[in-house]
Amino acid sequence: MSSCKPVTHVIFDMDGLLLDTESLCAAANESVIQPYGKVFTWELNVAQMGQKAESCAQMIINHLQIPLSVEDYVSQVSEVHKKIMPTAQLMPDTERLYTEATQAIASQYNKVYTWEIKVQCMGMKGPMAAQHIIDSLELPLTVDQYLGKISSQYDSLFPNARLLPDTVDLYKTCHNRALAPYGQSVTWEQIVAEMGHTSLEVAQTFSKKFDLKISPDEYKATVVSFYPEVFTAVKFMKGAEKVVRHLHKHNIPIAIASGGAQDSFELKTTNHKEFVSMFSHVVLASTDPEVKNGKPAPDVFLICASRFSNPPKPEQCLVFEDAPNGVTAGVTAGMQVVMVPDPRLDAEMTKGASQVLKSLEDFKPELFGLPSYDC
């Protein structure tokens, strides 16, 4: 860890740090590349984080050999964003805890719970997922033994949480509203069983199961129409609200510097206008004419710093980031960087940050010369 030096201004990345949009962005990309039999891998997701939309599209097209132009790819992803981004919630931080729980068990046997295994388990019920993990990692456990261990981990990590995020119940509500006119309903278990499938696949499954007199596309459209109303419960990432409101209260200039575009930003922040209003300004690399290069280039952070009413020197700025590209951009800009990485990220990819935290709750502002928390 580098030594911490006093700062006067703070710049936050948004996707994956303040707003839980990374999974939605990945889903949007997956929906575009799926018809070509390609897979949007975790490694590719990390590689394109923070880059401008066109650069991301070009990287994905080249890497996966997708027969689309950059313009067509960006257009298709944008259309998906319009449907799913208004459902984005402030980061609940539960996903990393599920991963930590599983890795804690794997570590007892010197094994690693990889992203690939996690993806393979999506949509499986508890016992089936347990068996897959046992087989993949060659754990000397029965399914019942594994479930007992994971339950103990959940009891330790989730003292006030359910075994799955509350979004499962929200999706259940949307599906049941769509099914009500037909005298049908789905159970929590049925929704969990469909996790990991595309929305169209889920629509096809339920349309067939309940013998609905509408097409899967019509059913999916009906379900999606309930999202804006149902997905209104805002959950903050551990420590996110506390640190942002604390800095705002003490008149520390704060801003957002994101690799995104204006239209997607508006969609992502549909339900978070008050939260965003605390930032003095927002710089979006994909549509801001002054930002010539996205992260890992330093442009977006340097331009963001220049737009404060009293522009600071780069060394007076502290950047919060979750992605390696963002860390590189901040360091190259001459700024200190606090990184809150996804737990799946290799430790080697966190090097260069001034500080690496498990969550924003662990941030100690006084280490950077900022006002300490009141209590």
Side-chain angles (χ1 to χ4, degrees):
M1 182 194 302
S2 305
S3 59
C4 303
K5 301 179 179 63
V7 299
T8 58
H9 295 64
V10 179
I11 301 174
F12 290 84
D13 178 37
M14 186 178 73
D15 295 319
L17 183 79
L18 296 176
L19 283 179
D20 186 11
T21 56
E22 289 300 341
S23 61
L24 299 179
C25 290
N29 282 295
E30 287 169 357
S31 71
V32 175
I33 68 176
Q34 192 177 48
Y36 303 99
K38 305 293 184 177
V39 177
F40 188 65
T41 65
W42 165 245
E43 290 75 18
L44 185 56
N45 187 35
V46 172
Q48 55 88 44
M49 283 180 177
Q51 296 195 35
K52 299 178 74 169
E54 290 77 9
S55 299
C56 291
Q58 190 67 71
M59 175 185 291
I60 294 168
I61 289 169
N62 292 344
H63 186 81
L64 299 179
Q65 297 184 322
I66 305 295
L68 292 174
S69 67
V70 170
E71 292 76 13
D72 286 342
Y73 188 93
V74 171
S75 176
Q76 289 189 34
V77 169
S78 179
E79 286 303 309
V80 180
H81 282 175
K82 291 176 183 178
K83 297 177 182 178
I84 66 176
M85 284 304 176
T87 70
Q89 296 187 358
L90 295 178
M91 289 290 282
D93 199 36
T94 53
E95 191 63 31
R96 71 177 66 226
L97 296 182
Y98 292 120
T99 301
E100 285 181 19
T102 307
Q103 182 55 50
I105 296 174
S107 296
Q108 296 173 13
Y109 304 96
N110 297 315
K111 304 289 185 176
V112 177
Y113 178 56
T114 64
W115 170 243
E116 288 73 21
I117 297 175
K118 181 175 181 178
V119 170
Q120 291 163 4
C121 288
M122 288 180 177
M124 293 182 182
K125 291 187 177 181
M128 186 181 296
Q131 187 66 66
H132 185 76
I133 293 169
I134 291 169
D135 293 343
S136 298
L137 299 180
E138 299 181 342
L139 302 181
L141 297 171
T142 65
V143 169
D144 286 340
Q145 289 172 331
Y146 180 88
L147 291 175
K149 284 178 173 288
I150 200 71
S151 179
S152 295
Q153 290 292 327
Y154 288 158
D155 288 342
S156 172
L157 292 171
F158 295 89
N160 299 309
R162 305 181 191 183
L163 295 187
L164 286 170
D166 288 343
T167 50
V168 175
D169 283 327
L170 298 180
Y171 283 116
K172 176 172 171 280
T173 297
C174 292
H175 280 281
N176 281 338
R177 287 192 181 185
L179 290 168
Y182 306 96
Q184 304 287 352
S185 65
V186 292
T187 65
W188 184 86
E189 288 77 13
Q190 287 171 323
I191 291 294
V192 171
E194 293 302 318
M195 289 174 65
H197 293 289
T198 66
S199 58
L200 181 56
E201 289 172 338
V202 176
Q204 291 169 338
T205 296
F206 290 159
S207 294
K208 182 178 179 180
K209 179 180 180 62
F210 298 113
D211 192 24
L212 303 181
K213 304 306 179 184
I214 55 175
S215 70
D217 283 324
E218 290 173 315
Y219 176 78
K220 184 181 76 169
T222 301
V223 172
V224 170
S225 72
F226 295 120
Y227 283 179
E229 177 185 354
V230 173
F231 283 84
T232 56
V234 176
K235 294 182 180 180
F236 290 88
M237 183 176 183
K238 205 174 181 181
E241 184 178 23
K242 181 178 180 181
V243 66
V244 170
R245 292 190 184 280
H246 171 75
L247 296 175
H248 180 68
K249 173 184 176 181
H250 289 276
N251 298 314
I252 302 300
I254 58 177
I256 290 175
S258 170
Q262 186 64 43
D263 56 351
S264 63
F265 176 82
E266 294 298 332
L267 290 167
K268 294 169 186 176
T269 58
T270 298
N271 299 319
H272 313 300
K273 300 302 183 186
E274 186 272 335
F275 185 76
V276 173
S277 71
M278 289 186 282
F279 296 90
S280 70
H281 57 281
V282 176
V283 179
L284 303 168
S286 290
T287 48
D288 193 302
E290 287 190 50
V291 182
K292 303 305 180 185
N293 302 290
K295 305 170 188 177
D299 304 31
V300 69
F301 289 127
L302 292 173
I303 290 169
C304 188
S306 72
R307 292 183 185 172
F308 283 110
S309 58
N310 183 22
K313 297 178 180 179
E315 59 266 28
Q316 294 176 295
C317 293
L318 177 64
V319 168
F320 281 91
E321 263 287 353
D322 69 309
N325 283 337
V327 172
T328 300
V331 171
T332 304
M335 303 174 182
Q336 295 182 81
V337 182
V338 171
M339 187 182 194
V340 185
D342 188 295
R344 296 166 291 191
L345 210 59
D346 189 290
E348 285 294 315
M349 301 185 77
T350 68
K351 290 185 176 180
S354 306
Q355 193 177 59
V356 179
L357 306 176
K358 287 186 176 180
S359 81
L360 286 173
E361 189 174 60
D362 298 328
F363 177 62
K364 299 185 185 303
E366 62 271 18
L367 294 180
F368 294 89
L370 298 167
S372 57
Y373 288 122
D374 299 329
C375 58

